Amino acid sequence: MTQKTTKRSVKGSDRAPAYSLYGESPEFGQSIFSNAESILVRSNNLQSNIDLHVHLDLYQFVYISEGRSTLISPNGKYNFGTNSLVMIPPNIEHGFYSHIETKTFGHVITLSDAYFDRLAQRGVLASDLAKYITIIEQIDREINPEVFTAIERVIYEHSSEHYPFILAREAAVLSFIVEFLRLASERNVLQFGVKTSDIGDQSGKGKIEILSQLIDRYYKTHKNVQFYADRMNMSVSNLNKISAKATGKTVHRNIMARNLEQARSYLANTNLSVKEISFTLGYEDAAYFTRFFKTNTGLSPIAFRRLSRRASPDGHALPIDQI
């Protein structure tokens, strides 16, 4: 998605032409570089078709805040619209088809491959994502506020010329990469042509791994099964079936088990009051938390703490796996 470009040859290849960004030299990809600008500035509001081309040394992230566009690749065409995020790695042929009747708004975030590698390749998913065009659709601002915050921060820092804007830009870009990788991991969307709604076609083992990661991240703040089903683009009933088959427990029971595990750890290993623990775990009513804990363990939180302290030879709390 470029407006001003420098054409570069691809030796011995019949592939689409290769472009650098805004007249940069062939050494551009070896530099530490990031850029963020609106679609309106970047490509005239997508009001012209962009033929197949490649960027040998650029990662491009296209965020559509409003409107729609069509991605073109040798694998076919793919329509995407409002609140979609597309990542195009280096050396992948792609183009865009505009919809003249639709005004399209959003931003394009561009990173040199050297910059992306330095910031992202420590992550497990980075090497996989680097191989494919990745499309994540229908990102919900209420469910994924951190993604939008990261995008907005990148845009803000790239519009700022105030010291220390270089450090601020790098921090913003790193945060954005983290949130993108996290969202891609949660949705298990790793290649062009796999819709987020197709996660049901993934293996049961993969879904359980994703569910486990989600519970570990959100068990304190989200105890409603619908939240996890929405994050995985699945119905509650289907998610419960997979959970029961793999773990012997429903999603709700797994969430509660994670809360109980952490509650036991707090009671055994800290001096936090029961009220403080209940609030930390997302229970606004300490009395409700106490009933929940006693119903599932047979002991009140205070009784559990006393028992765990007596079990320790020196009177200190035991590690949770010894209780």
Side-chain angles (χ1 to χ4, degrees), residues 286-307:
Y288 176 85
F289 167 74
T290 297
R291 291 194 299 272
F292 160 74
F293 188 90
K294 187 171 184 178
T295 298
N296 287 277
T297 66
L299 295 170
S300 70
I302 295 299
F304 179 88
R305 170 169 276 168
R306 287 172 180 168
L307 180 63

Side-chain angles (χ1 to χ4, degrees), residues 58 79 157 238:
L58 302 178
N79 297 315
E157 295 299 347
N238 285 338

Side-chain angles (χ1 to χ4, degrees), residues 175-315:
S175 177
F176 167 72
I177 291 174
V178 167
E179 295 304 334
F180 177 81
L181 294 175
R182 179 179 286 154
L183 185 58
S185 172
E186 290 173 359
R187 294 200 180 189
N188 203 21
V189 180
L190 300 179
Q191 61 185 3
F192 171 71
V194 178
K195 301 180 184 179
T196 56
S197 58
D198 289 340
I199 192 168
D201 296 332
Q202 303 297 327
S203 69
K205 181 180 177 182
K207 292 176 196 173
I208 287 300
E209 290 174 351
I210 294 169
L211 176 61
S212 178
Q213 293 171 9
L214 287 172
I215 290 176
D216 278 343
R217 183 181 179 195
Y218 293 110
Y219 72 94
K220 293 181 181 179
T221 56
H222 295 280
K223 296 175 173 57
N224 190 318
V225 178
Q226 186 66 57
F227 171 83
Y228 299 90
D230 289 342
R231 291 299 289 249
M232 296 181 67
N233 282 345
M234 297 178 66
S235 68
V236 170
S237 60
N238 285 338
L239 187 58
N240 272 323
K241 288 178 183 177
I242 293 169
S243 177
K245 182 178 180 180
T247 68
K249 293 182 287 191
T250 64
V251 178
H252 176 74
R253 293 305 304 171
N254 277 306
I255 297 169
M256 295 303 99
R258 185 66 182 86
N259 277 270
L260 282 170
E261 176 188 349
Q262 191 60 53
R264 291 190 185 99
S265 180
Y266 283 143
L267 289 165
N269 300 309
T270 76
N271 291 318
L272 292 173
S273 69
V274 172
K275 186 176 182 179
E276 289 172 328
I277 292 173
S278 67
F279 288 166
T280 301
L281 292 175
Y283 296 92
E284 297 182 1
D285 186 345
Y288 176 85
F289 167 74
T290 297
R291 291 194 299 272
F292 160 74
F293 188 90
K294 187 171 184 178
T295 298
N296 287 277
T297 66
L299 295 170
S300 70
I302 295 299
F304 179 88
R305 170 169 276 168
R306 287 172 180 168
L307 180 63
S308 66
R309 297 292 169 86
R310 285 201 303 268
S312 175
D314 58 4

